[in-house]
């Protein structure tokens, strides 16, 4: 089936009790046993599983073309569960510009716990090859990266990982499964912050790990999900699933709007550079065109004149809202370096845009005013 159909129907069933067409929200934390001690509904206690989480997980697995999925309370909790499934002494290779929250987890929580980490520039896959050690267990990919919009060749990195006998995980938050399906390029695990495009409305926090194979490593992640309990509530699962129903149509609009805005910024005299993989002069354009269906809704750009100028442009915006996060209907503008703080790879004159679902003419007019 096509992704539009999967997005609308996966995880859906008519409620057997009420015949409700839209899946009800099952807030009950516990489920009744039969007289013989069995659980005829298939559910025991909501931390272990509930109908809304199961519906969301089935939908996510189908969207990515995976075998199984585990939903979490945030994207960071999802990333953490993958790292917790490793063992102290294991080595991880991650992009040097990996999402700042993932970098913090690796550096501040998992290195003290016993993981070893190499941060490399993955735009050149030879750096990945050189970083492989005998104790390497996982290569973490994130493409396009955030906020530099660097592109990593998933096929090549997955190939390097597999030749070394290790797993390749891909943070697919920025493109969403509509624009990029990492399993088709060799990845073993996909990680999402469903807070972003999957939820899609800026009103729910969530995360997920999707596995290509329901193997022993994924069962470890599943056990961490159930034992650790960093799970989304039934209502949050319901909200994310509701968001997913329109994901393919939203992603197309985000990407189309972003293309217009990126073209406008590229020709503006006050803009030093634009980072958007849809632009022909982007260094990752060719790889992005190969592994993505469209180029996504996130743009970053650097201003002539440094940090002061960047902050001044953000301050003058009227339609773009000054806030972090991405993937919702409302367009956001963010001075990324001051959000990420010390150690950031975001230049001081960089602004990140999450292009929403407003009309692109209005977005461009707002940026023209802010840049004037
Ligand atoms: C937001 C984000 C995360 C973290 O997700 P949360 O839901 O905020 O915990 C991870 N990776 C990327 C690429 C993100 O944008």
């Amino acid at each position: 089936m096509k992704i539009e159909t999967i997005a609308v129907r996966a995880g859906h069933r008519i409620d057997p009790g009420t015949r409700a067409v839209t899946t009800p929200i099952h807030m009950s934390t516990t489920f009744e046993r039969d007289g013989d001690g069995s659980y005829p509904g298939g559910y025991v206690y909501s931390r272990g599983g509930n109908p809304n989480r199961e519906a969301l997980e089935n939908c996510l697995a189908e969207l990515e073309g995976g075998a199984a999925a585990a939903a979490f309370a945030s994207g960071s909790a999802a990333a953490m569960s993958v790292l917790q499934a490793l063992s102290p002494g294991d080595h991880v290779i991650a992009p040097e510009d990996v999402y700042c929250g993932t970098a913090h987890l690796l550096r501040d929580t998992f290195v003290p716990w016993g993981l070893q980490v190499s941060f490399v520039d993955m735009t050149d896959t030879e750096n990945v090859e050189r970083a492989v050690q005998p104790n390497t267990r996982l290569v973490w990919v994130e493409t396009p990266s955030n906020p530099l919009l660097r592109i990593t060749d998933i096929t090549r990195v997955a190939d390097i990982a597999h030749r070394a006998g290790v797993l390749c995980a891909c943070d697919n938050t920025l493109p969403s499964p509509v624009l990029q399906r990492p399993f088709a390029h060799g990845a073993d695990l996909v990680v999402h912050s469903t807070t972003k495009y999957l939820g899609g409305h800026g009103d729910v926090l969530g995360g997920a790990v999707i596995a290509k194979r329901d193997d022993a490593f994924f069962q470890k992640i599943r056990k961490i999900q159930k034992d650790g309990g960093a799970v989304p509530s039934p209502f949050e699962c319901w909200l994310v699933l509701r968001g997913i129903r329109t994901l393919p149509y939203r992603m197309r609009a985000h990407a189309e709007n972003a293309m217009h805005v990126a073209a406008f910024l590229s020709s503006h005299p006050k803009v030093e550079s634009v980072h958007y993989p849809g632009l022909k002069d982007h260094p990752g354009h060719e790889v992005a065109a190969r592994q993505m269906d469209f180029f996504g809704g996130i743009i970053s750009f650097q201003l002539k004149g440094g940090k002061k100028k960047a902050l001044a442009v953000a301050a003058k915006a009227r339609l773009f809202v000054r806030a972090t996060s991405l993937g919702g209907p409302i367009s956001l503008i963010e001075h990324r370096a001051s959000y990420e703080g010390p150690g950031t790879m975001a230049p001081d004159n960089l602004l990140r845009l999450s292009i929403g679902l407003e009309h692109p003419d209005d977005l461009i007019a707002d940026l023209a005013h802010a840049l004037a």
Side-chain angles (χ1 to χ4, degrees):
M1 269 192 294
K2 306 281 191 196
I3 198 133
E4 290 82 356
T5 313
I6 296 171
V8 171
R9 302 299 286 269
H12 176 261
R13 62 169 191 159
I14 303 290
D15 181 58
T18 61
R19 297 288 164 143
V21 173
T22 300
T23 310
I25 306 168
H26 297 276
M27 293 301 278
S28 185
T29 51
T30 191
F31 299 85
E32 192 188 25
R33 300 172 77 159
D34 253 352
D36 63 3
S38 66
Y39 297 94
Y43 304 103
V44 178
Y45 178 64
S46 200
R47 169 156 50 76
N50 61 69
N52 295 102
R53 200 165 89 211
E54 192 172 280
L56 173 61
E57 290 175 345
N58 290 342
C59 180
L60 288 166
E62 255 192 80
L63 275 178
E64 287 287 1
F72 288 88
S74 70
S76 302
M80 190 153 83
S81 77
V82 175
L83 300 173
Q84 283 172 323
L86 300 170
S87 302
D90 288 352
H91 174 245
V92 176
I93 303 172
E96 60 178 356
D97 61 333
V98 69
Y99 169 71
C100 65
T102 309
H104 294 163
L105 271 177
L106 284 164
R107 285 202 183 101
D108 303 336
T109 298
F110 284 94
V111 168
W113 181 73
L115 281 190
Q116 293 170 24
V117 190
S118 299
F119 293 99
V120 305
D121 175 1
M122 285 200 188
T123 58
D124 181 355
T125 54
E126 277 182 27
N127 292 328
V128 179
E129 194 130 32
R130 272 194 289 273
V132 173
Q133 301 176 183
N135 60 337
T136 303
R137 292 288 171 271
L138 179 74
V139 182
W140 186 278
V141 176
E142 186 186 321
T143 180
S145 74
N146 177 6
L148 297 176
L149 282 301
R150 287 186 182 172
I151 299 295
T152 296
D153 188 327
I154 305 170
T155 307
R156 288 175 86 155
V157 173
D159 191 48
I160 293 165
H162 296 158
R163 274 190 278 122
V166 313
L167 294 171
C168 175
C170 187
D171 182 336
N172 206 32
T173 300
L174 250 66
S176 91
V178 176
L179 306 189
Q180 179 173 278
R181 286 160 303 280
F183 293 145
H185 305 289
D188 304 290
L189 294 166
V190 166
V191 179
H192 277 289
S193 167
T194 59
T195 312
K196 313 295 168 53
Y197 290 108
L198 288 158
H201 293 75
D203 53 12
V204 60
L205 207 64
V209 179
I210 301 128
K212 191 172 191 173
R213 296 167 305 274
D214 193 356
D215 57 8
F217 192 80
F218 183 71
Q219 282 308 315
K220 215 164 161 186
I221 291 171
R222 176 69 82 201
K223 187 163 163 54
I224 290 162
Q225 177 203 32
K226 292 184 178 188
D227 293 356
V231 290
S233 73
F235 180 49
E236 290 165 327
C237 293
W238 185 90
L239 277 175
V240 174
L241 192 58
R242 184 174 79 152
I244 289 172
R245 300 310 188 203
T246 54
L247 178 71
Y249 296 93
R250 288 188 285 106
M251 286 318 295
R252 228 168 279 161
H254 284 296
E256 204 180 293
N257 286 357
M259 202 61 155
H260 287 299
V261 173
F264 163 76
L265 289 171
S266 314
S267 63
H268 199 285
K270 290 188 180 162
V271 173
E272 186 181 275
S273 58
V274 182
H275 308 281
Y276 185 66
L279 297 173
K280 295 240 173 1
D281 61 356
H282 185 285
H285 176 72
E286 265 178 51
V287 175
R290 209 159 53 229
Q291 67 190 17
M292 299 177 77
D293 291 352
F294 303 93
F295 301 100
I298 309 300
I299 302 169
S300 60
F301 65 106
Q302 291 174 248
L303 285 137
K304 292 176 187 163
K307 177 178 179 177
K308 250 179 91 184
K309 182 70 196 168
L311 286 171
V313 168
K316 261 183 96 182
R318 291 183 291 212
L319 202 52
F320 278 87
V321 175
R322 286 178 299 279
T324 193
S325 199
L326 56 96
I330 295 176
S331 291
L332 305 176
I333 188 164
E334 180 182 32
H335 184 253
R336 194 66 192 166
S338 52
Y339 170 79
E340 292 190 2
T344 181
M345 283 195 62
D348 242 356
N349 64 343
L350 180 140
L351 291 173
R352 187 185 78 182
L353 303 177
S354 172
I355 302 298
L357 299 174
E358 303 91 344
H359 196 284
D361 292 352
D362 295 327
L363 296 175
I364 289 169
D366 192 39
L367 289 171
H369 161 79
L371 284 161

